[in-house]
Amino acid sequence: YIDKSQSSYSGTFLTLASIILIDYHQKPNSPRFVDYNNFYPGMMYKMHTELPLISYLKKANSSFIWSGNIKGICIPSNKWSCINSTNDFFTRNLFKFYLSTALPKIHQRFHRYTESQDSIDKFLTYIDKNGLPKTPFFAFIHHLSPHGPYLVTDECEPTNYFKGDSIEGYKASYHCALKKVKIFMEKINSIDPEAIVIFQADHGPSWKSLNLEATEKEEQKLQLRGRIFNAIKAP
């Protein structure tokens, strides 16, 4: 466990883009951006855009397995394998066509309370069913919890109690996420003890969820957004 870890960015779309690009794509002196589709997950759906991480894995004869969620839907592609791609007609067939419109966000809003946030369980279920790939692979598991809406207790039981920016809901979801980390590592240590595993939160809690006053310094708010859970397991 790496104490006092800080994320490079304070938002998912930027942090995950830096992982896919293997680079710091935005710096303090960079021009202001207006097109969010150049970041995650929009960047994944552009037909002819090079994705450095995918290119690197290909050169290393390693496949890319994607366990996504409602905020980063895995669309079937010859560049990767989807663990939990949806059978929804809109998502599978029309998502790319309507990517530049408001329809994807409307679709996301409609489904956000019914889609599971747990991408760790989806990956483990996939492995139980199919076994480990016989060749080297990189598994990109975008686990959405802890993230509002808060849908679980600290024992990972379903609940509808926590809403919005509730600090109690955030804490419960955080403790559940730690339990998922433990379950995941017990499984991986059993079936693939030589595996390298990296847990990295993309950003910390928002200042709203911590009930900071609006008068708090912006620097302090940014520091809170940057604090992350970070752990690495290597043979």
Side-chain angles (χ1 to χ4, degrees):
Y1 173 71
I2 304 171
D3 194 19
K4 298 181 180 179
S5 290
Q6 294 281 326
S7 174
S8 300
Y9 302 99
S10 61
T12 301
F13 69 103
L14 294 171
T15 306
L16 297 192
S18 71
I19 292 175
I20 301 299
L21 295 173
I22 320 179
D23 198 3
Y24 295 100
H25 49 77
Q26 295 293 313
K27 301 177 181 179
N29 59 349
S30 296
R32 293 289 295 272
F33 56 83
V34 294
D35 187 358
Y36 283 73
N37 288 325
N38 290 326
F39 306 107
Y40 184 88
M43 61 191 300
M44 308 296 286
Y45 309 135
K46 294 187 174 182
M47 296 287 289
H48 304 295
T49 301
E50 181 189 1
L51 303 173
L53 177 59
I54 305 293
S55 299
Y56 174 81
L57 292 171
K58 185 176 181 180
K59 290 179 182 178
N61 296 315
S62 178
S63 59
F64 184 94
I65 299 177
W66 183 359
S67 180
N69 54 56
I70 191 61
K71 288 187 174 291
I73 299 169
C74 184
I75 304 296
S77 168
N78 59 6
K79 297 179 181 179
W80 51 69
S81 299
C82 293
I83 283 182
N84 51 333
S85 62
T86 177
N87 291 320
D88 180 88
F89 178 81
F90 173 83
T91 302
R92 288 178 62 86
N93 299 286
L94 300 180
F95 192 86
K96 292 179 182 178
F97 183 76
Y98 287 112
L99 196 60
S100 62
T101 74
L103 283 176
K105 288 188 177 296
I106 295 173
H107 178 264
Q108 184 186 94
R109 288 281 183 177
F110 182 75
H111 286 282
R112 69 180 300 203
Y113 289 97
T114 58
E115 290 278 349
S116 172
Q117 297 177 328
D118 190 345
S119 296
I120 292 178
D121 271 356
K122 291 173 184 175
F123 177 79
L124 294 180
T125 299
Y126 172 86
I127 293 299
D128 285 339
K129 181 179 179 180
N130 301 284
L132 286 174
K134 303 301 182 183
T135 55
F137 69 96
F138 179 94
F140 178 59
I141 305 172
H142 183 192
H143 188 70
L144 195 57
S145 180
H147 195 290
Y150 306 115
L151 303 176
V152 292
T153 67
D154 56 3
E155 295 295 329
C156 298
E157 295 294 331
T159 181
N160 293 320
Y161 179 75
F162 299 120
K163 302 292 184 182
D165 288 315
S166 163
I167 185 63
E168 291 81 9
Y170 178 84
K171 287 167 59 178
S173 292
Y174 188 89
H175 283 293
C176 173
L178 294 181
K179 292 181 186 299
K180 294 292 181 179
V181 167
K182 182 178 180 181
I183 292 171
F184 181 87
M185 286 312 309
E186 289 173 348
K187 180 71 173 181
I188 296 302
N189 284 334
S190 172
I191 63 176
D192 192 7
E194 294 299 304
I196 296 173
V197 182
I198 299 173
F199 291 96
Q200 179 183 320
D202 54 359
H203 59 79
S206 69
W207 65 273
K208 289 182 180 179
S209 66
L210 296 178
N211 295 322
L212 288 180
E213 296 294 333
T215 55
E216 294 286 345
K217 294 182 179 180
E218 291 298 321
E219 182 180 355
Q220 182 181 358
K221 296 175 185 177
L222 191 61
Q223 288 175 346
L224 289 169
R225 288 286 283 180
R227 288 184 194 169
I228 60 170
F229 176 87
N230 196 195
I232 299 174
K233 177 261 178 184

